[in-house]
Structures are given as structure tokens and as C-alpha cells.
Amino acid sequence: TATGTSAPVAAGTTSQGCAKPAYTPPTKIEDRVHTQMDMIASAFACDLTRSASLQLGICDGGVDDAVPGVNQHNTTHAVGDAKGQQVDLDNHKKYDRWFAARWAYLLNRLDSIKEGNGSVLDNTLVLFGSDTTTLQTSTLGPHNHHRFPLWMAGGGNFAFKTGQYIKLPNPARSPGSKLDVAKWVVHQRLLTSIAQAFGMSIDKFGDNDPGSGTISQLTRI
């Protein structure tokens, strides 16, 4: 899942990219995904919207035809429930590379459109996430709702310094009660950090986080 939110810029600063994307009937899943990304880029460039979300697949698969002959759901479980056999790890990497290539397409598309002091990408913060956890257990496997990998790109004109890798605290046990949750850094802290980067005066996002505040380790520009 990718969510992009673009910071406001002065009207009329976009010099290119504000045009209806060319449409070619897609024959492959990559074509369908890229068409969606083209629409997002054009919508930002035309200032039709400043927020967009794109979900690729679901927790049980949905993009199986991206890697022919490999079952996405079974591969995810084989790696998430245990360390997985080498063939499972290799197949998972094939999906990782496929997703990474799609994100690269979106980032290049946004970066190709000049806007204000830089590009649309410089004025857009893109958040990538997954509903597959990195924590291996014998019970819930990849359906655990903690230890999710998240990463951000863009936002060079206003958001966070790039090149940061942050590994947040990892308590020994899984969260269950509110007391357990307090030992973890919940993903709402990241959403709060993002909201503040866009000038919102909030210190909390939603009601699942028993605490408040941002991710202190995340360095702002």
C-alpha cells in the first residue's frame, strides 16, 4: 500500500505534467498499476487533490500474476510463519523486487514533473507499508499486527531527512493489553509525525495509541 500526500504550493507553479495521462489498454498487471500511478501524478500536478492511496493486492494475495508460477499467499506464510526454505525465500524476493519496481516507477513519475522549487516528488511525502509482519511466530505468522516494515520517500522540501533507518524498540512479548501496547511504538506515532510535517497541530492520531507524541528518532528537515 502506498499513500502519497502533497504539500500545498502556489497556484500555477506546476509547469508540466498537468495533462490527462495517455491510456493504453493494459495487458499486464504492471500496466494496470502504472496507469493508476500516472493518474495520481497528474492529479497532484493539476492540484485536483493533495492526497491519494493505492493498494496493490490484499493480505491473501491479489497480485499472483505478477510472478507467474509462484503463489503469493503460500510464499508469504512460508516465510512469515517460519524462516522458510530457500525456495520460499527466493520466491519472496521475487515479489519484493516486483513491488520495489512499482514504487520506483511512481517516484520517477513524480520526480519528472517540475513544481515550485524542485519537483512534485520534493513536495510529496510517499509512505509505503505492508500488511505482512516481519515477526515470525508459530501461531499467527504474517497476520500479526506488529513489527510492520514501513518506509517513506520524497518530501525533500519540507518533511524528513532521507537516508534514515530506524529500528524501534522490540519488547519480548506481543502486545495484548494497553499496558503491553505502551511498551511498543505504535504506527500512529509515525502518522502523527507525518501530520506535524504538514503543519497540523496534533499530538495524537486515532484512539488505538494509549500515549501521544511523534517518533522522536525521526529527524525532520
Side-chain angles (χ1 to χ4, degrees):
T1 302
T3 299
T5 304
S6 187
V9 295
T13 57
T14 302
S15 59
Q16 63 185 76
C18 184
K20 183 178 180 180
Y23 175 74
T24 302
T27 58
K28 299 185 298 182
I29 186 172
E30 293 96 310
D31 298 330
R32 299 196 297 270
V33 172
H34 291 171
T35 296
Q36 295 290 324
M37 292 178 169
D38 288 340
M39 287 194 293
I40 290 174
S42 293
F44 281 178
C46 297
D47 205 17
L48 296 176
T49 184
R50 284 293 167 179
S51 179
S53 296
L54 177 61
Q55 178 176 316
L56 305 183
I58 57 175
C59 61
D60 286 328
V63 294
D64 295 86
D65 51 340
V67 184
V70 178
N71 185 287
Q72 182 189 7
H73 176 266
N74 293 346
T75 297
T76 300
H77 271 281
V79 175
D81 296 342
K83 291 185 177 180
Q85 301 297 318
Q86 188 60 48
V87 63
D88 300 316
L89 296 173
D90 291 341
N91 285 336
H92 201 287
K93 290 177 182 178
K94 292 178 182 178
Y95 276 105
D96 290 340
R97 285 192 288 269
W98 185 87
F99 279 109
R102 307 290 74 74
W103 307 144
Y105 178 90
L106 174 61
L107 299 180
N108 287 329
R109 184 75 177 82
L110 295 173
D111 194 44
S112 69
I113 304 172
K114 302 305 178 184
E115 180 181 67
N117 183 26
S119 68
V120 171
L121 181 61
D122 292 319
N123 296 318
T124 302
L125 183 64
V126 184
L127 171 65
F128 298 103
S130 171
D131 59 359
T132 300
T133 181
T134 59
L135 181 64
Q136 298 168 348
T137 70
S138 60
T139 53
L140 295 176
H143 291 289
N144 275 297
H145 292 282
H146 45 274
R147 288 282 305 278
F148 288 110
L150 298 167
W151 61 281
M152 294 183 290
N157 280 343
F158 70 98
F160 306 101
K161 289 185 177 180
T162 58
Q164 300 183 69
Y165 172 80
I166 300 173
K167 185 175 182 179
L168 297 171
N170 176 27
R173 60 173 294 178
S174 302
S177 66
K178 286 190 175 183
L179 182 61
D180 293 328
V181 173
K183 301 174 184 177
W184 293 69
V185 179
V186 296
H187 87 284
Q188 279 89 353
R189 302 294 175 90
L190 175 59
L191 301 179
T192 299
S193 299
I194 292 173
Q196 289 190 9
F198 281 89
M200 302 179 191
S201 57
I202 65 172
D203 199 42
K204 191 173 183 178
F205 192 102
D207 57 7
N208 289 328
D209 184 358
S212 62
T214 61
I215 294 180
S216 60
Q217 300 94 324
L218 190 59
T219 304
R220 288 282 303 277
I221 288 177

